[in-house]
Amino acid sequence: MDYRYLQVEAKDHIAIVTINKEKSLNALNTELIKELRDCFLSLEKDEDTFSIIITGKSKAFVAGADISEMVNLTSEEAFEFSKFGNETFLIIESINKPVIAAVNGFALGGGCELALACDIRIASYKAKFGQPEVGLGITPGFGGTQRLAREIGQARAKELIYTGKVISAEEAYKIGLVNKLVDPDELMNEAIEMAEAINKNSKVAVAYSKRAIREGLQTSIEEGVKIEEESFKECFNAQDQKIGMEAFLERRKPNFK
């Protein structure tokens, strides 16, 4: 895959996607969002890719959306920009493979929203998070009002969005926005180690677990457990269930296909 703003590297069934738009601190414009959309749709179909890591080049993960592109948008153009970004982030969120955000620096506005669309967030101690859109006279536009509240609770999400406050990686970890904090030079190693740990397990079971969590959180507990029951059922239609259980009974490690 050849992109202007993305570098994609394959390593032991892990796809490492690096956003490389350094001059604007990896700010999201329409072209970059299109590349992210195309990249993740391609990776979903790639049978050699079991998990995905996304990170940013230099000192930013993604510093936000590209203000120079947005400043003169009409309201209808702004609607289409927000819709396209949301559709792309929904693809990232719902892809049938785990996605790990390795947050190396600024994750503000659209950058925080991109990290929120990922399954797991590992952050460098140098990372910064925030939804500062209200200071620009706009709301978050790529899912921030929805995912942030689901991740850290309504009260904390309202505080961050209403004040536009930028928080440290340590505070992000304390409020549950980040799974793990590491030294900057250990960030990618930690993300790769986590991807490798996931990849050892059944790809089918991980995919069904991801779907059950995502879909279940959008509904009641009663409906959620029905989604889980269906996912549990479908695992028994796949070869991995026999491989995993037989290996357990024989006291050996499974060799999932």
Side-chain angles (χ1 to χ4, degrees):
M1 292 176 280
D2 190 19
Y3 300 106
R4 180 180 179 186
Y5 295 128
L6 299 179
Q7 296 172 350
V8 184
E9 174 190 0
K11 182 176 182 179
D12 299 326
H13 303 295
I14 303 166
I16 301 173
V17 180
T18 303
I19 300 172
N20 184 12
K21 194 167 174 271
E22 284 187 74
K23 289 183 178 179
S24 64
L25 297 178
N26 302 327
L28 297 168
N29 61 7
T30 300
E31 185 177 357
L32 174 51
I33 295 170
K34 284 179 180 177
E35 289 189 359
L36 284 168
R37 181 189 182 97
D38 178 73
C39 178
F40 276 83
L41 286 173
S42 297
L43 289 173
E44 183 168 36
K45 297 174 185 175
D46 182 13
E47 294 183 359
D48 199 47
T49 298
F50 298 167
S51 56
I52 302 164
I53 296 170
I54 184 166
T55 192
K57 192 80 169 178
S58 191
K59 61 182 179 181
F61 178 69
V62 169
D66 193 333
I67 306 303
S68 65
E69 181 178 16
M70 291 194 295
V71 63
N72 292 317
L73 294 180
T74 66
S75 60
E76 285 304 313
E77 289 169 340
F79 174 82
E80 292 300 325
F81 184 62
S82 174
K83 183 179 180 182
F84 186 57
N86 273 321
E87 288 173 349
T88 300
F89 285 14
L90 282 167
I91 288 169
I92 294 170
E93 180 182 65
S94 61
I95 189 174
N96 62 5
K97 299 171 183 181
V99 182
I100 299 169
V103 184
N104 52 304
F106 296 112
L108 307 178
C112 188
E113 290 166 312
L114 176 57
L116 284 165
C118 299
D119 297 292
I120 295 166
R121 289 165 289 282
I122 302 173
S124 154
Y125 281 104
K126 291 185 177 180
K128 303 284 185 184
F129 295 84
Q131 299 286 166
E133 287 90 345
V134 293
L136 299 171
I138 60 174
T139 68
F142 295 160
T145 61
Q146 303 306 304
R147 291 192 182 91
L148 191 61
R150 284 168 167 81
E151 288 292 337
I152 66 173
Q154 285 190 46
R156 286 195 174 104
K158 287 175 180 177
E159 178 185 351
L160 287 180
I161 291 171
Y162 296 175
T163 64
K165 179 183 177 183
V166 175
I167 61 173
S168 66
E170 287 91 341
E171 186 170 352
Y173 177 73
K174 287 177 183 177
I175 64 176
L177 180 55
V178 167
N179 296 74
K180 200 164 189 178
L181 288 180
V182 296
D183 290 328
D185 57 356
E186 288 298 317
L187 178 63
M188 290 308 298
N189 287 338
E190 189 67 38
I192 289 169
E193 282 183 18
M194 185 171 289
E196 288 173 341
I198 294 169
N199 289 353
K200 290 176 182 177
N201 297 313
S202 162
K203 317 306 172 293
V204 172
V206 170
Y208 276 123
S209 295
K210 175 171 179 173
R211 189 180 76 174
I213 292 168
R214 180 176 180 271
E215 293 181 4
L217 285 174
Q218 314 307 316
T219 186
S220 67
I221 185 68
E222 290 80 8
E223 290 301 313
V225 295
K226 291 178 182 178
I227 294 169
E228 183 178 279
E229 289 162 2
E230 285 298 317
S231 297
F232 186 75
K233 168 189 169 183
E234 289 303 321
C235 287
F236 282 76
N237 288 324
Q239 189 180 16
D240 280 3
Q241 174 263 326
K242 292 286 189 297
I243 292 171
M245 290 190 174
E246 287 175 1
F248 176 84
L249 293 174
E250 294 169 10
R251 298 185 179 181
R252 58 178 172 81
K253 292 183 179 180
N255 182 22
F256 292 114
K257 306 298 182 183

